[in-house]
Amino acid sequence: RGDLLFIRDDNGGLANVVRWLFWENLVVEARSFLGFNPMSWVVRPEIGYASSSFTLRLGYLMIDGSTGSFGSWYRRNETVYVTTRYSF
């Protein structure tokens, strides 16, 4: 029986989400994941505007890790993104 999708059987990780709300509409958020074995990490900071009917967010996705880890397979996929939602 081999490894599943490049992940070892003996692995672990820690994830978190931190969100601040300013002036009822400005959202600042950071999500992260740290993998222990093999070492990898993902950080995704965002800033945005949110109301009851409209949301706009700008973020950056950073991925990296040691050789053979999830982060090393996807390290070239760092990206800046914009999301929007309108409810009517």
Side-chain angles (χ1 to χ4, degrees):
R1 188 174 133 191
D3 296 339
L4 175 64
L5 299 176
F6 315 107
I7 302 298
R8 298 181 185 139
D9 290 336
D10 56 342
N11 62 47
L14 177 68
N16 76 356
V17 176
V18 178
R19 184 177 299 138
W20 296 277
L21 184 62
F22 300 99
W23 302 291
E24 297 183 23
N25 297 97
L26 180 64
V27 179
V28 177
E29 181 177 296
R31 295 174 184 244
S32 64
F33 173 77
L34 176 62
F36 302 125
N37 185 24
M39 183 67 163
S40 64
W41 56 270
V42 177
V43 178
R44 195 181 89 177
E46 281 186 347
I47 187 166
Y49 172 83
S51 70
S52 61
S53 62
F54 179 73
T55 301
L56 176 67
R57 289 190 175 208
L58 172 67
Y60 180 54
L61 177 64
M62 298 172 277
I63 306 171
D64 205 350
S66 60
T67 303
S69 70
F70 172 83
S72 72
W73 284 97
Y74 296 101
R75 72 170 40 124
R76 289 187 171 186
N77 290 342
E78 290 188 356
T79 187
V80 173
Y81 62 90
V82 175
T83 62
T84 186
R85 177 184 59 96
Y86 176 69
S87 301
F88 51 93

